């Protein structure tokens, strides 16, 4: 039915004259109208070589304009006052902070912006920009004359601003003249402006950047200036050539694809941009010899004339056609072009068509805002531009679009597979072909299996919910688009996923790189054995990032708890999965994260002190408000703040004497509101020394919310004493995360390998708590005399729970504290030469 409707609509458009055939095309690229050319000639004639020389000399006289120098405000003030001297009333500073060269403090930088307002009702802007800072490889804080780089660009900016203001003409669009700060240290000024322009949805018609236009090796008439451009904006390059040539003695030529200067940031945010630069790059760049005496001011003057003509042509052009869309009709030989019609009823539109960027061999003119182009070649990429035309024949600028007519639909894009509780959600972007009727969803249990369609009817939406999945089963999904002729597109790449269940016990994620096995460089086997021992009585699975790749939400979501450990400070990769970790916790997961440098592991932080606020991943998800690390400090133990946690000390058999058996590069983390600090940094060095200067700083944060639970320790657990580490992990799993040990029926068939006294659960408790212990098989197969007693904080025995011989196995006993007062108590297990004690807390 839909295909019939489309055909009738197509016939209606054909009869109405909205369909253009590609046969017998007529192409003519309009230039400026005579009135615009006359205006340009009048303004360009005022450009003065001596004025340009004066601006360059004034900027050179600052001796250095390096962004880190203290004279930066004086330079921006000089630029601002020069604009005001020309008669500009609206001259603004735009301030931003940049880290200093030591990456410790932030210093203020200022862009200078002079605005010439356009006609009322036109909110489009043409920007002419150049950076005013300079640099030299030798002592830039003292001397960086920067005559060519980039006093020539700023001189061009100023001279064009002067002569345009001199004529007092009101252009169609506004013109902004922007002197950017801090280009040489990272294009900060342009990046700051472009980002803010994007956020406030500023309508930038064209950005023209000027950087180094004062050096040539050839006679003037043989000299060239290059126009650097970007993908999709080749037509802006050609527009610039066309408007430049009649007004300058030098020749504009195609430069590089991409520009190393300030146009880069504007292009990144989607603004049409080009950059001017001398073709014969000065050998004096970034040196003490980049001075006025080594420039060709006549060459710079001729470049300014052509650039001025381009600025005027861009500002005087009609308003751009907005919201341009080019859609594949779907029949293999037609494209649909639509755009928003301008409010000016006198405007018509010119549609350019070609098969190369910026090269058009066909054009159509219409007063409508809709056109279908037919008789195209199937599977050929076409480049389309749509320009507004005013009554004088002046053309607007336009952003080039590309589209390919196809009979077979394109593969859908932005395909996402999202695990949810008991289900899997699929999303994708809608196909842009005009004849798409829906999509098919395919699924297989294994990567190499033939995928089977899971939808009974064509999916009309761009969303599908698969609620037929089995718990813990991975699936591989792909989708395909279907058109009105029932042609199916190629399928998307398969994406692996499974539903969230949060019931499969513990997943141990190891991001430690496999080492040699020597001290401080453990092997995978050594690390795995350590954590296997810590979690020996729990149902768990292992995930090795080095072997299996980055962990995903689908990998995490089946497990009730994740233990994530990083014991190699050079191989911290959790930040690559931080969004997956965030989703896991948001689903109600529980996470014990123990690693070197958590802020580096989780958000790739490399500087200290680093503060986090609302909106930051560390603050919002891990409940950490800052991270700190001091050089040359040494860590020996984690001292508990919270009485429900035990002491953790470095295992000196795993460390070296080089650092007095301490660990270096341990980070401090402090708790955000809602969380609490549970451990402090301890060391055998005095806090007044450099090595001991982090003593007392927090190294553990606990968040046990109703939404999720996360405990973060900022030191590697592998290097702590194994018995203490096991006590900690058992405590967290049982008492903090409410994990259960393996099914008791299974435990009855397993003979423990060693004596072990577990942390009581619950803890704190009121009035009763459960205590578990393990008895291994003896060498002779004999029974073992077991004693389990309770003591108060003064060491007085208050109750005997067990005092008898026991067979090898796992046991539990309940302690009823209803007749005792609130406080700290100890329980001690004795079995032959084995003795172990733990603390518990009774709260009434």
């Amino acid at each position: 039915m839909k295909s019939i409707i489309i055909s009738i609509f197509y016939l209606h458009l054909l009869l109405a004259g909205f369909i253009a055939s590609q046969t017998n095309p007529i192409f003519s690229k309009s230039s400026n109208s005579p009135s615009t050319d006359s205006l340009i000639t009048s303004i360009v004639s005022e450009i003065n070589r001596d004025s340009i020389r004066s601006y360059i000399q004034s900027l050179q006289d600052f001796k250095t304009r390096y962004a880190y120098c203290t004279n930066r405000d004086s330079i921006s003030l000089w630029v601002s006052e020069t604009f005001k001297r020309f008669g500009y009333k609206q001259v603004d500073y735009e301030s931003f902070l940049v880290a200093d060269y030591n990456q410790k403090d932030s210093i203020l930088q200022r862009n200078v912006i002079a605005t010439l307002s356009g006609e009322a009702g036109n909110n489009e802007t043409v920007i002419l920009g150049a950076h005013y800072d300079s640099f030299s490889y030798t002592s830039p804080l003292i001397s960086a004359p920067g005559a060519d780089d980039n006093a020539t660009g700023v001189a061009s900016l100023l001279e064009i601003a002067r002569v345009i203001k001199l004529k007092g003409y009101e252009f169609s669009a506004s013109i902004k003249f922007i002197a950017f700060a801090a280009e040489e240290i990272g294009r900060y000024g342009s990046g700051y402006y472009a980002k803010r322009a994007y956020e406030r949805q500023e309508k930038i018609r064209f950005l023209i950047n000027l950087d180094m236009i004062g050096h040539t090796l050839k006679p003037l008439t043989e000299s060239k200036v290059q126009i650097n451009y970007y993908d999709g904006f080749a037509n802006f390059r050609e527009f610039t050539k066309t408007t430049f040539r009649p007004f300058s003695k030098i020749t504009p030529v195609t430069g590089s694809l991409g520009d190393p200067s300030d146009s880069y940031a504007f292009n990144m945010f989607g603004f049409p941009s080009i950059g001017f630069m001398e073709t014969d790059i000065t050998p004096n760049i970034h040196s003490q010899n980049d001075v006025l005496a080594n420039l060709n001011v006549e060459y710079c003057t001729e470049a300014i004339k052509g650039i001025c003509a381009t600025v005027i042509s861009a500002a005087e052009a009609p308003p751009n056609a907005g919201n341009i869309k080019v859609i594949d009709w779907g029949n293999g030989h037609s494209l649909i072009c639509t755009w928003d019609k301008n409010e000016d009823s006198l405007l018509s539109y010119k549609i350019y068509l070609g098969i190369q960027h910026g090269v058009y061999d066909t054009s159509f003119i219409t007063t409508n805002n809709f056109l279908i182009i037919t008789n195209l070649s199937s599977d050929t990429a076409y480049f389309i531009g749509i320009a507004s035309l005013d009554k004088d024949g002046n053309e607007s600028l336009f952003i080039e679009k590309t589209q390919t007519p196809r009979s077979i639909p394109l593969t859908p894009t932005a395909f996402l597979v999202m695990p949810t509780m008991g289900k899997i959600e699929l999303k994708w972007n809608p196909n842009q072909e005009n004849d798409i009727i829906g999509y098919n969803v395919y699924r297989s249990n294994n990567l190499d299996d033939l995928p089977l369609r899971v939808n009974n009817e064509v999916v009309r939406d761009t969303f599908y919910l698969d609620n037929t999945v089995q718990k813990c089963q991975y699936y591989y999904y792909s989708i395909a688009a279907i058109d009105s002729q029932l042609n199916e597109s190629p399928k998307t790449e398969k994406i692996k996923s499974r539903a969230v269940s949060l019931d499969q016990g513990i997943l141990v994620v190891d991001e430690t790189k496999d080492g040699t096995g020597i001290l401080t460089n453990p092997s995978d086997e050594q690390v795995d054995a350590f954590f296997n021992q810590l979690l020996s009585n729990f149902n768990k699975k292992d995930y090795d990032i080095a072997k299996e790749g980055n962990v995903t939400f689908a990998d995490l979501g089946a497990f009730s708890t994740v233990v994530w450990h990083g014991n190699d400070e050079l191989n911290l990769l959790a930040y690559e999965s931080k969004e997956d970790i965030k989703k896991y916790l948001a689903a109600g997961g529980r996470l014990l994260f123990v690693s070197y440098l958590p802020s580096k592991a989780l958000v790739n932080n490399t500087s200290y002190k680093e503060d986090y606020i609302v909106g930051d991943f560390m603050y919002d998800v891990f409940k950490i408000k800052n991270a700190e690390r001091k050089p040359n400090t040494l860590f020996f133990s984690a001292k508990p703040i919270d009485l429900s946690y035990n002491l953790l000390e470095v295992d000196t058999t795993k460390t070296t004497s080089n650092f007095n058996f301490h660990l270096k590069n341990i980070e401090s983390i402090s708790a955000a509101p809602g969380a609490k600090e549970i451990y402090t940094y301890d060391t055998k060095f005095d806090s007044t020394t450099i090595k001991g200067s982090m003593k007392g700083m927090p190294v553990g944060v606990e968040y046990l919310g109703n939404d999720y639970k996360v405990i973060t320790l900022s030191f590697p657990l592998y290097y702590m004493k194994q018995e203490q580490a096991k006590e900690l992990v058992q405590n967290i799993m049982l008492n903090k995360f409410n994990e259960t040990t393996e099914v008791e029926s299974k435990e009855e068939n397993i003979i423990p390998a060693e004596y072990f006294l577990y942390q009581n659960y619950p803890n704190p408790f009121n009035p009763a708590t459960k205590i578990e212990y393990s008895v291994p098989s003896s060498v002779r197969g004999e029974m073992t005399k077991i004693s389990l007693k309770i003591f108060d904080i003064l060491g007085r025995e208050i109750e005997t729970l067990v005092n008898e011989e026991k067979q090898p196995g796992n046991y539990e006993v309940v302690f009823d504290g209803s007749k005792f007062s609130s406080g700290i108590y100890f329980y001690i297990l004795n079995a032959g030469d084995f003795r172990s004690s733990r603390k518990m807390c009774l709260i009434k």
Side-chain angles (χ1 to χ4, degrees):
M1 180 65 182
K2 183 175 180 180
S3 63
I4 296 174
I5 294 172
I6 290 172
S7 299
I8 294 172
F9 181 55
Y10 183 90
L11 179 60
H12 170 75
L13 294 173
L14 181 62
L15 294 173
F18 291 163
I19 297 180
S21 172
Q22 197 192 354
T23 57
N24 301 319
I26 298 174
F27 176 75
S28 61
K29 174 72 174 173
S30 299
S31 61
N32 290 320
S33 67
S35 59
T36 302
D37 283 348
S38 176
L39 173 66
I40 294 172
T41 300
S42 172
I43 293 175
V44 166
S45 66
E46 298 291 340
I47 291 174
N48 186 283
R49 181 181 59 184
D50 292 337
S51 295
I52 297 163
R53 181 183 293 274
S54 173
Y55 305 143
I56 296 172
Q57 184 65 59
S58 295
L59 289 163
Q60 182 179 305
D61 287 346
F62 281 102
K63 299 187 185 304
T64 179
R65 303 187 304 282
Y66 188 38
Y68 293 132
C69 284
T70 55
N71 68 347
R72 57 188 177 277
D73 285 349
S74 299
I75 301 163
S76 62
L77 177 63
W78 179 85
V79 175
S80 173
E81 291 301 316
T82 304
F83 280 128
K84 291 177 181 178
R85 181 161 51 86
F86 296 156
Y88 284 85
K89 302 299 183 185
Q90 186 178 344
V91 182
D92 302 303
Y93 289 126
E94 180 183 58
S95 301
F96 57 95
L97 293 172
V98 174
D100 68 9
Y101 49 85
N102 290 318
Q103 298 295 308
K104 290 183 178 179
D105 299 317
S106 294
I107 58 176
L108 194 70
Q109 304 283 348
R110 301 196 297 191
N111 294 332
V112 184
I113 307 165
T115 303
L116 184 67
S117 297
E119 293 177 354
N122 188 342
N123 57 359
E124 293 184 324
T125 303
V126 174
I127 295 178
L128 186 67
H131 73 88
Y132 64 80
D133 62 315
S134 63
F135 175 74
S136 69
Y137 288 115
T138 57
S139 60
L141 290 168
I142 300 171
S143 177
D148 194 18
D149 186 15
N150 185 34
T152 55
V154 178
S156 304
L157 189 76
L158 294 172
E159 183 64 0
I160 293 173
R162 182 185 74 82
V163 297
I164 285 179
K165 185 64 177 176
L166 188 66
K167 291 297 179 180
Y169 184 82
E170 183 181 62
F171 294 93
S172 170
S174 297
I175 304 176
K176 286 188 177 181
F177 303 92
I178 306 180
F180 295 116
E183 188 269 354
E184 296 287 3
I185 61 171
R187 298 180 293 216
Y188 287 106
S190 55
Y192 183 78
Y193 185 93
K195 183 176 184 294
R196 292 186 70 243
Y198 175 81
E199 292 170 345
R200 60 179 176 252
Q201 299 182 321
E202 185 173 328
K203 292 189 176 180
I204 297 176
R205 181 182 286 184
F206 196 9
L207 176 281
I208 302 168
N209 187 61
L210 314 173
D211 194 348
M212 298 173 60
I213 50 172
H215 181 264
T216 183
L217 297 172
K218 301 178 181 65
L220 204 59
T221 55
E222 298 176 19
S223 293
K224 300 173 182 178
V225 63
Q226 62 180 327
I227 304 169
N228 299 325
Y229 68 104
Y230 297 93
D231 268 337
F233 299 122
N235 55 305
F236 283 79
R237 178 198 67 203
E238 296 307 305
F239 170 86
T240 301
K241 288 182 184 178
T242 300
T243 54
F244 185 106
R245 283 191 187 101
F247 301 96
S248 178
K249 295 178 182 177
I250 64 176
T251 304
V253 296
T254 298
S256 62
L257 182 61
D259 181 31
S261 189
D262 286 309
S263 64
Y264 176 85
F266 286 84
N267 177 70
M268 291 294 291
F269 284 99
F271 297 121
S273 310
I274 58 100
F276 277 96
M277 186 174 289
E278 61 204 26
T279 303
D280 300 324
I281 302 298
T282 175
N284 302 314
I285 184 172
H286 296 166
S287 77
Q288 305 300 315
N289 296 322
D290 186 9
V291 294
L292 179 59
N294 291 326
L295 299 184
N296 187 324
V297 179
E298 190 68 33
Y299 169 80
C300 184
T301 303
E302 289 301 313
I304 292 172
K305 290 178 180 179
I307 294 165
C308 182
T310 298
V311 172
I312 295 169
S313 298
E316 192 59 5
N320 295 350
N323 195 26
I324 297 172
K325 295 180 181 177
V326 181
I327 302 169
D328 177 16
W329 182 272
N331 59 11
H333 57 78
S334 301
L335 297 175
I336 306 170
C337 305
T338 66
W339 57 94
D340 291 343
K341 198 167 185 177
N342 197 283
E343 294 178 0
D344 189 342
S345 59
L346 297 176
L347 289 179
S348 56
Y349 301 92
K350 191 167 188 176
I351 296 86
Y352 288 103
L353 179 72
I355 56 174
Q356 297 181 52
H357 283 296
V359 180
Y360 312 111
D361 52 20
T362 306
S363 66
F364 314 98
I365 294 179
T366 180
T367 57
N368 300 301
N369 65 329
F370 183 97
L371 187 74
I372 295 179
I373 307 173
T374 64
N375 292 339
L376 301 174
S377 298
S378 182
D379 299 317
T380 298
Y382 286 89
F383 300 91
I384 297 106
I386 300 174
S388 302
L389 297 176
D390 66 16
K391 58 183 175 56
D392 296 321
N394 291 316
E395 292 185 20
S396 72
L397 295 158
F398 58 84
I399 296 175
E400 185 181 76
K401 301 288 184 179
T402 184
Q403 189 57 269
T404 302
R406 293 182 173 88
S407 55
I408 302 298
L410 287 172
T411 302
T413 60
F415 178 42
L416 297 174
V417 179
M418 295 160 289
T420 61
M421 186 62 70
K423 304 178 183 68
I424 297 178
E425 296 180 1
L426 287 71
K427 289 183 180 180
W428 57 93
N429 283 346
N431 276 45
Q432 297 302 310
E433 298 97 325
N434 192 58
D435 63 340
I436 295 298
I437 63 170
Y439 306 87
N440 283 333
V441 178
Y442 292 90
R443 187 183 81 184
S444 62
N445 289 0
N446 296 291
L447 181 62
D448 297 328
D449 289 352
L450 181 68
L452 300 176
R453 195 176 74 180
V454 296
N455 54 300
N456 294 323
E457 297 181 355
V458 171
V459 178
R460 307 285 176 174
D461 205 343
T462 56
F463 171 86
Y464 184 82
L465 181 64
D466 187 0
N467 55 11
T468 66
V469 298
Q470 295 182 5
K471 190 192 317 186
C472 299
Q473 171 68 51
Y474 278 106
Y475 296 96
Y476 293 83
Y477 291 93
S478 58
I479 58 170
I482 308 296
D483 68 14
S484 59
Q485 303 301 314
L486 302 184
N487 295 312
E488 186 175 80
S489 75
K491 297 179 182 66
T492 60
E493 292 289 328
K494 294 179 180 179
I495 297 180
K496 179 183 177 183
S497 192
R498 65 176 171 182
V500 176
S501 60
L502 299 177
D503 64 352
Q504 295 301 298
I506 300 169
L507 179 68
V508 180
V509 179
D510 179 7
E511 67 174 11
T512 308
K513 186 178 180 181
D514 187 16
T516 60
I518 64 173
L519 286 180
T520 71
N521 190 22
S523 66
D524 268 345
E525 291 75 12
Q526 289 172 315
V527 174
D528 291 346
F530 180 81
F531 280 90
N532 286 341
Q533 181 60 37
L534 267 52
L535 293 160
S536 58
N537 61 323
F538 290 94
N539 178 29
K540 76 171 186 68
K541 289 187 178 179
D542 296 310
Y543 191 102
D544 192 322
I545 292 178
K547 296 175 182 177
E548 301 179 62
N550 291 330
V551 68
T552 68
F553 180 29
D555 300 317
L556 302 173
F559 297 91
S560 50
T561 293
V562 172
V563 176
W564 191 304
H565 60 91
N567 309 286
D568 171 13
E569 61 183 288
L570 299 178
N571 197 59
L572 302 172
L573 302 171
Y575 66 90
E576 295 184 355
S577 298
K578 72 175 187 178
E579 291 304 315
D580 297 275
I581 295 172
K582 182 177 180 180
K583 292 174 184 176
Y584 170 70
L585 292 175
R590 301 176 294 221
L591 173 63
L592 170 60
F593 190 88
V594 290
S595 174
Y596 273 110
L597 311 176
S599 72
K600 181 180 179 182
L602 290 164
V603 292
N604 208 19
N605 174 52
T606 57
S607 61
Y608 296 93
K609 178 183 180 184
E610 189 70 12
D611 294 318
Y612 301 106
I613 60 174
V614 173
D616 292 336
F617 176 83
M618 292 293 284
Y619 190 99
D620 293 347
V621 179
F622 274 72
K623 309 302 181 184
I624 291 171
K625 69 178 180 180
N626 59 56
E628 174 69 293
R629 179 164 66 92
K630 297 181 180 180
N632 302 317
T633 50
L634 294 176
F635 168 89
F636 187 77
S637 62
K639 187 176 181 181
I641 302 172
D642 188 304
L643 293 177
S644 65
Y645 288 92
N646 62 290
L647 174 69
L648 295 167
E649 297 172 299
V650 167
D651 185 344
T652 56
T653 67
K654 293 181 180 179
T655 53
T656 67
S657 60
N658 294 348
F659 300 103
N660 292 78
F661 302 101
H662 285 57
L663 294 177
K664 60 186 181 70
N665 292 333
I666 300 302
E667 183 177 274
S668 168
I669 50 175
S670 59
K676 67 178 181 179
E677 293 158 4
I678 55 176
Y679 279 109
T680 59
Y681 189 115
D682 206 3
T683 175
K684 292 187 176 181
F685 293 93
D686 191 87
S687 60
T688 60
T689 66
I690 292 176
K691 292 178 181 179
S693 60
M694 287 185 66
K695 190 170 188 175
M697 297 177 70
V699 290
V701 171
E702 172 196 273
Y703 173 72
L704 303 179
N706 294 324
D707 45 358
Y708 62 88
K709 305 178 191 300
V710 58
I711 294 173
T712 308
L713 304 180
S714 60
F715 49 90
L717 203 56
Y718 172 78
Y719 290 102
M720 313 310 287
K721 290 181 178 178
Q722 182 165 307
E723 182 179 345
Q724 294 176 347
K726 186 168 185 175
E727 180 178 344
L728 168 76
V729 171
Q730 296 283 331
N731 176 30
I732 291 174
M733 294 302 110
L734 293 171
N735 301 324
K736 308 294 183 179
F737 290 171
N738 299 326
E739 273 292 341
T740 58
T741 56
E742 291 188 282
V743 180
E744 295 206 24
S745 61
K746 292 183 180 179
E747 290 183 342
E748 291 173 0
N749 298 321
I750 298 175
I751 303 301
E754 61 179 6
Y755 288 106
F756 196 81
L757 178 64
Y758 297 98
Q759 186 65 46
N760 63 302
Y761 176 77
N763 187 41
F765 65 96
N766 180 28
T769 186
K770 181 175 70 174
I771 299 172
E772 297 182 53
Y773 61 95
S774 298
V775 178
S777 176
S778 66
V779 176
R780 298 177 182 178
E782 299 172 350
M783 296 177 66
T784 305
K785 179 67 178 291
I786 300 296
S787 167
L788 179 60
K789 297 181 179 181
I790 309 297
F791 298 84
D792 65 15
I793 198 168
L794 297 177
R796 297 174 297 196
E797 180 182 333
I798 61 171
E799 188 161 325
T800 298
L801 299 180
V802 179
N803 189 24
E804 60 184 342
E805 292 184 338
K806 291 287 187 181
Q807 295 280 357
N810 299 291
Y811 297 90
E812 66 177 54
V813 63
V814 174
F815 169 57
D816 186 352
S818 57
K819 60 184 178 182
F820 300 107
S821 60
S822 297
I824 301 297
Y825 293 86
F826 298 88
Y827 56 102
I828 299 176
L829 178 70
N830 284 289
D833 294 333
F834 177 81
R835 177 183 173 89
S836 180
S837 66
R838 291 184 181 273
K839 288 187 297 186
M840 57 184 175
C841 182
L842 172 62
I843 298 178
K844 292 187 175 180

